[in-house]
Amino acid sequence: MLQRIRVAALALVLGAGALAAGPAAAAAAPVPSISTVGLRPAAPIVVFDKDVAVTFTFTTRFAEKAELKLNGAAVPVTSSRIRGGLKWTGTRSFGASAAGKWTYTATAFGDGEATKTGSFEVVKALTTRIAGFKAEPGRVTRGKPIKVAGRLLADGKAYPGQSVSITFRERGSDDYREVTKVTSGRGGWFSANVRARSTGWWRAEFAATATARGTVSDSDRVDVRRPNLASRISGFDVRPEPVDKGDRLRFSGTLRAERRGGLSGQRVSIFFRADGSRRWEYVTSDVTGRGGRFSATATAQKSGWWRAEYRGTRGVDGTVSRPDRVQVNEPKKDTRLIKFDAYPEPAKRGGTLKFRGVLLVSDDGSWEGYAGKVALYFKPLSSKKWQYVKTTASGDSGRLYTKARAWTSGHWKFVFRGDAATNGDDSATDFVRVRR
């Protein structure tokens, strides 16, 4: 009986101990947690002229204490309560001397520890420069294109893929205005074609970015002149046409300028290009008179094209007339019919008359025999009209010979009508009396 009482008592004691241990185990504190550390501004931290203050933030749960270390050195942090935990904030300033890689360690303390680590870069802002900026040509007609070009460098090295503004300041103005944008290419080079409207200065500008300083190039001046007036040659004419070789040709026309009418006192040149040639050759010239009219003469030598050319003057562009073709013919050579003779004399009615003579052609001042067709003509004594009888031909010697019947008294002669190369001629007449 006593033994059963002792066992029951021991069971009661052990049961009371289990009840006492249960609530303590259920109330044990949870393990703390910590978030990733955020940086504002975000990494990399770019330092320009002033130190940059960087704010580090992280949150914890189940921790009443936390710390932040940068490169092993503690940074003071403050906390503020947020839903579900605490937000911790610390600030550290970085200057140019702090450039390099930094590490951070954030630790939350509670019923245990939680840690986050990471790294970030502190860099110096790039120093940029625009080298070799040029605007060319330096003198241009209004509205014509010019080329602007240069090279963008960062810390002395090429800086590609960056936006560069091309700006212009007109003469008499104090402000530059943007004309266009370009992007630097390989090697940092950039260029653009723009139209020059007025005299002034051109330059390139690179605006500062989050990682680079801005810069402005040297300026380059471009002088813009008014466009020249257009000119034209109207009514250009060459006469006569066709023309024989060695004859005189006359050239005429009028030189006019846009909005100014005829231009006087300007030299107009006459050029010639022979058929089959590609080269225009100067022949003569004239100075325009009142109303811009001009005229000149030259000797015709070959068939070909003629035109008038004006080289222009200050404020007026040159011009060329339409071409005018002139056919130049070789002059026909003179001929002579000499030694004409009709025989026998007197002649018997119905009898045969013989005729002879010589056809000559002029050749560089001398006379030579010529082969050609010559007609024989007869004019009865009582008539005023010559009658065609027959045609004969001379050989290279020019000698002529033919026959005809005699029926009545009258005059006889040879007639050469000429051909493509020669002029014609009539021989002297010869009277033959015919008897019955």
Side-chain angles (χ1 to χ4, degrees):
M1 181 69 173
L2 181 60
Q3 185 66 29
R4 287 199 295 269
I5 294 173
R6 289 179 176 175
V7 171
L10 179 60
L12 289 172
V13 172
L14 291 176
L19 291 173
V31 177
S33 65
I34 188 170
S35 68
T36 300
V37 178
L39 285 73
R40 190 174 69 247
I45 309 304
V46 182
V47 180
F48 285 81
D49 297 322
K50 297 180 180 180
D51 291 355
V52 178
V54 180
T55 300
F56 300 85
T57 59
F58 59 92
T59 60
T60 61
R61 295 185 65 191
F62 310 118
E64 295 298 324
K65 182 180 179 183
E67 69 176 12
L68 173 68
K69 291 184 178 181
L70 300 178
N71 283 0
V75 175
V77 292
T78 60
S79 64
S80 60
R81 190 162 297 280
I82 60 174
R83 184 176 181 180
L86 295 174
K87 178 180 179 181
W88 301 87
T89 302
T91 301
R92 166 75 154 78
S93 292
F94 297 88
S97 60
K101 184 175 181 179
W102 288 72
T103 61
Y104 62 80
T105 302
T107 305
F109 299 97
D111 191 7
E113 295 181 3
T115 302
K116 287 290 183 179
T117 62
S119 64
F120 60 93
E121 291 279 346
V122 176
V123 297
K124 291 173 62 177
L126 297 172
T127 299
T128 59
R129 181 171 69 91
I130 295 175
F133 180 77
K134 288 288 184 182
E136 295 177 321
R139 184 174 178 84
V140 69
T141 300
R142 180 186 299 167
K144 294 295 184 179
I146 63 171
K147 183 178 181 180
V148 292
R151 189 184 187 196
L152 179 63
L153 303 174
D155 289 343
K157 299 179 181 179
Y159 200 20
Q162 304 301 310
S163 178
V164 178
S165 295
I166 305 300
T167 60
F168 173 71
R169 177 171 69 85
E170 187 175 358
R171 182 174 56 185
S173 172
D174 295 329
D175 300 322
Y176 279 88
R177 59 178 177 84
E178 183 177 276
V179 177
T180 188
K181 284 184 179 292
V182 292
T183 300
S184 59
R186 185 176 182 181
W189 295 103
F190 62 87
S191 66
N193 291 319
V194 295
R195 293 195 177 274
R197 304 293 182 184
S198 57
T199 296
W201 291 265
W202 294 84
R203 74 182 187 186
E205 301 178 10
F206 172 66
T209 65
T211 58
R213 301 175 187 272
T215 187
V216 177
S217 73
D218 294 335
S219 59
D220 198 10
R221 173 170 168 153
V222 174
D223 290 318
V224 176
R225 62 178 182 267
R226 293 178 59 185
N228 289 344
L229 297 176
S231 65
R232 64 185 179 91
I233 295 173
S234 62
F236 179 67
D237 189 34
V238 186
R239 293 185 180 182
E241 50 182 312
V243 66
D244 287 338
K245 181 178 180 180
D247 287 350
R248 299 296 288 177
L249 287 170
R250 178 180 175 84
F251 314 97
S252 61
T254 302
L255 176 63
R256 303 179 185 276
E258 180 185 17
R259 301 193 303 272
R260 287 175 56 180
L263 280 178
S264 60
Q266 303 297 311
R267 183 166 296 279
V268 177
S269 299
I270 306 300
F271 283 78
F272 173 71
R273 177 171 63 83
D275 286 348
S277 173
R278 295 183 178 180
R279 181 180 177 184
W280 288 93
E281 298 180 352
Y282 169 81
V283 178
T284 186
S285 66
D286 185 38
V287 175
T288 57
R290 186 175 182 180
R293 289 182 290 274
F294 64 88
S295 64
T297 62
T299 301
Q301 297 292 343
K302 299 178 181 178
S303 296
W305 298 88
W306 296 87
R307 73 182 186 189
E309 297 187 12
Y310 172 56
R311 295 185 62 181
T313 189
R314 185 174 182 178
V316 182
D317 285 332
T319 188
V320 178
S321 74
R322 62 169 182 79
D324 190 8
R325 187 179 183 280
V326 175
Q327 176 69 37
V328 176
N329 299 321
E330 288 289 334
K332 291 185 175 183
K333 298 179 179 180
D334 290 334
T335 58
R336 288 183 182 175
L337 278 168
I338 63 172
K339 297 182 180 180
F340 176 68
D341 186 25
Y343 63 94
E345 311 179 46
K348 185 177 180 181
R349 180 181 173 85
T352 299
L353 276 177
K354 300 177 181 179
F355 308 91
R356 61 188 177 191
V358 179
L359 176 62
L360 300 178
V361 66
S362 176
D363 188 8
D364 294 331
S366 63
W367 293 92
E368 298 179 356
Y370 187 71
K373 292 183 178 181
V374 177
L376 177 65
Y377 280 80
F378 172 67
K379 185 175 70 170
L381 186 59
S382 60
S383 175
K384 294 182 179 181
K385 184 177 180 182
W386 287 94
Q387 302 172 2
Y388 169 77
V389 178
K390 63 185 302 187
T391 297
T392 185
S394 61
D396 291 339
S397 66
R399 296 182 181 279
L400 293 161
Y401 177 80
T402 190
K403 298 178 182 180
R405 290 189 176 277
W407 297 104
T408 184
S409 298
H411 295 84
W412 296 85
K413 69 177 181 180
F414 276 149
V415 175
F416 176 56
R417 297 294 185 189
D419 54 26
T422 60
N423 295 313
D425 190 37
D426 290 9
S427 70
T429 62
D430 191 9
F431 178 76
V432 176
R433 184 169 60 87
V434 176
R435 68 174 188 274
R436 292 185 181 274

